[in-house]
């Protein structure tokens, strides 16, 4: 979501409504107060399994994806959700959702979706904020927020193995304060460098990228930054192994910089160098993008083109075969008017958080021939598919089990999976 203020309508649709609940209930879940939703339903009851049958799973429109379970915001004692990421404990293959909230980060064991375990919450480092972002490296979570003076929290995820009395109130293992607020955190897991972006526009790097060595996760060290193209809203940084042999092995930064895409070589942290910048037609707000696994294409979402120009959900595909001269390869328009948000590639699929239209799954196996096809979806916001900032903020599709975790701004955590 964009950094500067926008209106977000928190409709708080219930996940599981109870006829015995009322707006005046004062329930306590695991020692934490929870609030009922604004529709009068109960917002403190986990939801269970619902198969996608006849285009619906419980009250949620769907195509090809079952609802395995969910936890509403009331249980997390939070007013809104935002980013989400996942962690798999390789010592025992347990899977965890790291759930961004306005007032902190919740940790949920999703291994057994019939018995979801809310393990606890790491409160925000300073004050609440609707913007929070999480990434994982070497069994540690790295968390930033738009909250003033928040910095970067570092949390050792192996602590989740032995939680005696969930939900616990956690503290960070360390906190990096080389910046204050940040919109996103990016980590190149191959090199062990983090990139905080969307920081204060008047800081040392003009809101661009702060480079942080996190190879020793509990001792992060700032090692410079990139400021040449101003504010970076979001980014991806990769160790490049694509078709442009001029850059093989280089660490390539691709920034979504509001009104342009920025490509930079950040291999030498002391001397980052611009490769090129790129614009496209009908720019609303250059928001976020992700490489295909062969590093040939970059799939980008513009967050305001739907509202500014009246498009259906528009996804832009750029050919990065020549990093010095990238070109627009194709444009995909979705079936609804909903705004696209964060999107991630896994194999030949693109998983798009599409706000009010939920999660949309696109088959990109035919991307070379300009063929992109929606193969499924799960809509956590059944009220409508209009162009508004409600519904799904983000999705994490990288668990070996092929579960997907989804964070809905208005309602909370969903776990979904492709139907058998």
């Amino acid at each position: 979501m964009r950094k500067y203020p926008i209106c977000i309508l928190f409709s708080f649709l219930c996940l599981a409504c109870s006829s015995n609940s009322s707006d005046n209930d004062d329930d306590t879940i695991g020692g934490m107060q929870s609030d009922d939703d604004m529709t009068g339903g109960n917002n403190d009851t986990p939801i269970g399994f619902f198969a996608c049958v006849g285009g619906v799973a419980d009250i949620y429109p769907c195509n090809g994806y079952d609802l395995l379970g969910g936890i509403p915001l009331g249980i997390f004692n939070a007013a809104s959700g935002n980013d989400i990421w996942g962690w798999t404990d390789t010592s025992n293959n347990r899977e965890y959702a790291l759930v961004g909230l306005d007032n902190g980060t919740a940790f949920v064991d999703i291994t057994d979706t019939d018995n979801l375990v809310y393990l606890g919450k790491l409160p925000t480092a300073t004050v609440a904020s609707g913007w929070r972002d999480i990434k994982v490296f070497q069994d540690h979570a790295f968390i930033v927020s738009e909250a003033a003076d928040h910095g970067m929290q570092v949390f050792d995820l192996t602590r989740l193995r032995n939680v005696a009395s969930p939900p616990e109130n956690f503290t960070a293992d360390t906190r990096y304060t080389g910046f204050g607020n940040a919109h996103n955190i990016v980590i190149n897991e191959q090199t062990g460098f983090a990139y905080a972006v969307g920081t204060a526009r008047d800081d040392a790097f003009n809101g661009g990228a702060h480079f942080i060595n996190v190879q020793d996760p509990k001792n992060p060290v700032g090692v410079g930054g990139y400021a040449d193209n101003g504010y970076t809203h979001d980014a991806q940084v990769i160790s490049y192994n694509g078709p442009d042999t001029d850059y093989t092995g280089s660490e390539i930064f691709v920034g979504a910089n509001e009104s342009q895409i920025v490509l930079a070589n950040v291999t030498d942290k002391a001397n980052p160098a611009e490769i090129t910048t790129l614009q496209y037609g009908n720019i609303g707000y250059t928001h976020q993008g992700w490489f295909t696994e062969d590093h040939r294409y970059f799939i980008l979402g513009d967050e305001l083109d739907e509202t500014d120009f009246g498009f259906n959900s528009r996804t832009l595909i750029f050919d990065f075969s020549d990093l010095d001269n990238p070109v627009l390869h194709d444009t995909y328009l979705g079936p609804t008017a909903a705004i696209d948000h964060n999107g991630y590639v896994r194999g030949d699929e693109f998983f798009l958080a599409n706000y009010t239209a939920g999660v949309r799954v696109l088959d990109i196996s035919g991307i070379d021939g300009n063929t992109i096809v929606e193969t499924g979806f799960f809509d956590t916001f059944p009220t409508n598919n209009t162009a508004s900032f409600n519904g799904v903020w983000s999705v994490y599709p990288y668990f070996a089990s092929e579960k997907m975790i989804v964070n809905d701004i208005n309602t909370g955590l969903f776990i979904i999976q492709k139907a058998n």
Side-chain angles (χ1 to χ4, degrees):
M1 185 177 291
R2 300 166 75 190
K3 178 180 177 181
Y4 51 90
I6 55 177
C7 293
I8 300 176
L9 304 176
F10 294 120
S11 58
F12 297 103
L13 298 174
C14 64
L15 285 177
C17 297
S18 167
S19 60
N20 297 322
S21 66
S22 73
D23 287 340
N24 297 318
D25 287 348
D26 189 19
D27 299 328
T28 301
I29 305 297
M32 301 181 67
Q33 295 299 316
S34 62
D35 301 319
D36 287 344
D37 67 15
M38 293 175 63
T39 63
N42 194 335
N43 195 30
D44 58 20
T45 303
I47 192 170
F49 174 83
F50 287 92
C52 180
V53 178
V56 68
D58 191 23
I59 63 170
Y60 304 103
C62 58
N63 177 19
Y65 284 83
D66 294 332
L67 174 60
L68 302 185
I71 297 181
L73 292 170
I75 289 181
F76 296 137
N77 193 29
S80 64
N82 41 65
D83 191 45
I84 196 162
W85 208 248
W87 175 60
T88 299
D89 187 345
T90 56
S91 73
N92 54 24
N93 293 320
R94 300 196 73 82
E95 296 175 334
Y96 298 85
L98 285 51
V99 185
L101 307 166
D102 63 307
N103 56 5
T105 305
F107 303 97
V108 180
D109 186 336
I110 66 161
T111 309
D112 179 0
T113 52
D114 291 329
N115 296 285
L116 299 174
V117 183
Y118 171 35
L119 295 166
K121 182 175 180 180
L122 173 65
T124 182
T126 53
V127 296
S129 168
W131 293 269
R132 193 168 306 279
D133 199 71
I134 310 157
K135 296 296 184 297
V136 170
F137 176 66
Q138 287 190 356
D139 298 331
H140 288 73
F142 297 81
I143 304 162
V144 301
S145 175
E146 290 280 6
D149 300 318
H150 185 281
M152 180 179 73
Q153 296 171 307
V154 182
F155 180 79
D156 186 343
L157 294 166
T158 64
R159 293 165 58 186
L160 301 179
R161 294 171 181 165
N162 300 296
V163 178
S165 300
E168 287 191 5
N169 194 46
F170 293 114
T171 57
D173 289 275
T174 193
R175 180 169 156 233
Y176 175 82
T177 56
F179 56 84
N181 63 290
H183 189 75
N184 275 288
I185 183 75
V186 180
I187 296 179
N188 182 355
E189 296 182 31
Q190 291 182 259
T191 62
F193 282 93
Y195 301 82
V197 298
T199 57
R201 294 173 189 265
D202 60 353
D203 71 8
F205 303 109
N206 301 328
H210 288 244
F211 304 159
I212 309 158
N213 185 330
V214 294
Q215 293 164 9
D216 181 357
K218 291 187 178 68
N219 294 286
V221 178
V223 291
Y226 183 71
D228 288 356
N229 297 101
Y231 180 87
T232 298
H233 183 81
D234 204 339
Q236 186 182 14
V237 182
I238 61 168
S239 295
Y240 184 76
N241 190 30
D244 190 341
T245 56
D246 290 343
Y247 294 96
T248 300
S250 297
E251 197 166 8
I252 302 300
F253 172 98
V254 183
N257 282 38
E258 300 189 295
S259 60
Q260 61 182 346
I261 304 167
V262 173
L263 285 79
N265 189 335
V266 297
T267 308
D268 182 350
K269 300 299 180 290
N271 295 289
E274 178 186 305
I275 298 171
T276 193
T277 61
L278 178 65
Q279 293 185 314
Y280 50 90
N282 299 119
I283 290 176
Y285 193 85
T286 307
H287 180 264
Q288 184 264 359
W290 210 254
F291 272 100
T292 54
E293 292 186 353
D294 61 3
H295 294 174
R296 177 175 176 180
Y297 298 103
F298 189 75
I299 304 176
L300 178 83
D302 181 309
E303 193 176 22
L304 288 186
D305 50 359
E306 291 84 10
T307 55
D308 289 358
F309 303 105
F311 295 122
N312 272 10
S313 302
R314 184 175 70 146
T315 301
L316 300 150
I317 299 93
F318 294 90
D319 189 334
F320 276 17
S321 296
D322 180 353
L323 294 183
D324 296 290
N325 296 287
V327 295
L328 180 64
H329 172 72
D330 196 11
T331 299
Y332 169 81
L333 297 177
T336 77
I339 298 167
D340 53 315
H341 202 223
N342 297 335
Y344 299 99
V345 172
R346 179 175 178 174
D348 285 332
E349 292 183 303
F350 183 64
F351 299 89
L352 177 63
N354 208 179
Y355 277 124
T356 57
V359 176
R360 319 299 290 202
V361 181
L362 307 182
D363 180 351
I364 58 171
S365 61
I367 195 169
D368 288 347
N370 302 85
T371 301
I372 295 175
V373 179
E374 181 179 287
T375 57
F377 67 85
F378 191 94
D379 188 354
T380 64
F381 192 85
T383 304
N384 59 62
N385 290 330
T386 60
S388 67
F389 297 96
N390 290 293
V392 174
W393 181 293
S394 201
V395 56
Y396 178 86
Y398 296 116
F399 289 118
S401 67
E402 299 190 352
K403 300 186 190 89
M404 279 194 287
I405 48 177
V406 181
N407 207 10
D408 185 289
I409 298 166
N410 309 84
T411 46
L413 171 68
F414 290 77
I415 303 99
I416 65 175
Q417 192 168 41
K418 192 170 186 178
N420 293 326

